[in-house]
C-alpha cells in the first residue's frame, strides 16, 4: 500500500509566502512518519493513511489563523497501483475498512463524533474516487449515507459533497470517507478543497 | 451524458476579489452553452465537454494577466452516473474517444499541436480517474503515452502528472486527456491545478 497527498495552501494575500512559511512548523510533529517534498505547485506528503488528514488539518488551521481568506487543495491517494509498496505507509493500526458497509458507516460516525474541536470554522468540498472496481457507486452511496449523518454535511453539489463546520470534525469526516470506503486494498483517490475566512461564505 | 467542472481561481493577492471579478467577462462567449453557478467555494460550469477547458483557459489567462501568482483548481467530470442526462452536455461534434487506444493517442497529439499560443507560461498538474471500469490502468497508461509526446510534459509525480508550457497547449493537453481516455460513455473525472507567476517556479 502506498498512501499520501499532493497538497497546496493558497492564502489570498500579498504576504502569501510568509503565511505559508509561518505555518510549516505545524508539520514538525509528523515529520518522523511522513516524507515531505515541495515544488512550485504542491507539497507531497507520503506516510500512513490515517496521519494525512490530521497533518493537513493542523497546517490549514495555522495558515488560516490570521483571518486571511485561505484555501487548502489536495489530491489524496491510497493503493495506487502505479506506486511502489512502501512500509512507511502501513497504517499504525487497522482502519476497519474490511467490514460490511453498514458497520463502516457506524464506525466513521463515531470517529467524527470523537474528533477534537479546533475553533476554526471552515467549508469544504470533496469528491471520492474508488477506482478499478465494479462497485464504485455502492461505495460512494454508502459514503454519502455516512456524510449525511456526520454533523458537518452541508449539501450535495454536482460532482462533489460540501461540508461545513469546525475544522476538527470536517477533517475527521474527510479522513473517514477516505479510509473506510472503497476496497480495503483498492485504489482510492480523494480530491478536496477546504476554505476559511471567505468573504462570500454564507 | 452529464459533463462539467467545479472550478476555483486563487489569486495570491490582497485584491483577490477584484482580480476574480475582473476576469469573469472572459466567460461571456461561453454563456450561451454553459450553465454557470457560483458559491463560496467554487464555480460550477455545465455544458459540452469540449468547451470546459477552453473556458477555463480563457478565465485563467485573464486572471493571471497582472503578474500576480494565481492558481486555478478544478474537478472536471463527464458521465457521472449520479447526475441527470442533460442535452446541454452533448458534444457539438464527436470527440473521437470510441477509437482504439493507439488512434486516440495520435488524435490527441494532433489536437495539441494545433492549439493556439496564448503567451502565458503556466505549470499544471492533474490526475485522471476513469471510474467503474476494469481497464482503468490501461487507459491511464495510454494517456501517459500521449502526455509524454504532448510537448508540454514536465514529469510524473506521485499521484499526478506535471505539465509546463504555454497555457494554450497545456489546457489543450488537459482537454485531450479528459475527452479521449476512459470509456466513451464512462464516468471520467479529472482533478487539475494550474499555476502562473509562482515565485518558486523553476
Amino acid at each position: 500500500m502506498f498512501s499520501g497527498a499532493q497538497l497546496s495552501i493558497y492564502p489570498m494575500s500579498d504576504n502569501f509566502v510568509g503565511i505559508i512559511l509561518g505555518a510549516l512548523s505545524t508539520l514538525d510533529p509528523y515529520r518522523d512518519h511522513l516524507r515531505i517534498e515541495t515544488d512550485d505547485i504542491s507539497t507531497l506528503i507520503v506516510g500512513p493513511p490515517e496521519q494525512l488528514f490530521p497533518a493537513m488539518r493542523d497546517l490549514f488551521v495555522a495558515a488560516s489563523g490570521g483571518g486571511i481568506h485561505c484555501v487548502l487543495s489536495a489530491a489524496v491517494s491510497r493503493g495506487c497501483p502505479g506506486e511502489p509498496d512502501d512500509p512507511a505507509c502501513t497504517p499504525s493500526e487497522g482502519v476497519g475498512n474490511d467490514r460490511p458497509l453498514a458497520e463502516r458507516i457506524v464506525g466513521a460516525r463515531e470517529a467524527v463524533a470523537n474528533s477534537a474541536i479546533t475553533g476554526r470554522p471552515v467549508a469544504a468540498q470533496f469528491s471520492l474516487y474508488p477506482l478499478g472496481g465494479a462497485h464504485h457507486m455502492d461505495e460512494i452511496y454508502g459514503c454519502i449515507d455516512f456524510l449525511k449523518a456526520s454533523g458537518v454535511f452541508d449539501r450535495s453539489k454536482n460532482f462533489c459533497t460540501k461540508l461545513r463546520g469546525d475544522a476538527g470534525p470536517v477533517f475527521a469526516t474527510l479522513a473517514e470517507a477516505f479510509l473506510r470506503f472503497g476496497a480495503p486494498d483498492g485504489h482510492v483517490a480523494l480530491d478536496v478543497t477546504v476554505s476559511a475566512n471567505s468573504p462570500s461564505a454564507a
Side-chain angles (χ1 to χ4, degrees), chain A residues 105 109 112 144-153:
Chain A
I105 293 172
R109 289 179 61 177
V112 173
I144 289 172
D145 285 345
F146 151 61
L147 295 168
K148 288 186 173 171
S150 66
V152 293
F153 180 80

Side-chain angles (χ1 to χ4, degrees), chain A residues 29-113:
Chain A
Y30 299 94
R31 287 184 190 273
D32 284 350
H33 301 285
L34 298 178
R35 176 161 65 87
I36 303 177
E37 297 170 8
T38 296
D39 72 6
D40 60 309
I41 294 195
S42 62
T43 290
L44 171 71
I45 58 175
V46 171
E50 78 281 7
Q51 297 217 5
L52 302 173
F53 286 93
M56 289 193 281
R57 174 198 61 206
D58 292 354
L59 181 65
F60 185 68
V61 167
S64 59
I68 295 293
H69 177 33
C70 189
V71 167
L72 176 144
S73 175
V76 195
S77 178
R78 63 175 172 85
C80 180
E83 307 283 355
D85 192 20
D86 193 325
C89 299
T90 303
S92 54
E93 45 192 87
V95 293
N97 66 348
D98 55 349
R99 311 295 302 163
L101 193 52
E103 284 185 34
R104 285 182 276 145
I105 293 172
V106 171
R109 289 179 61 177
E110 290 175 352
V112 173

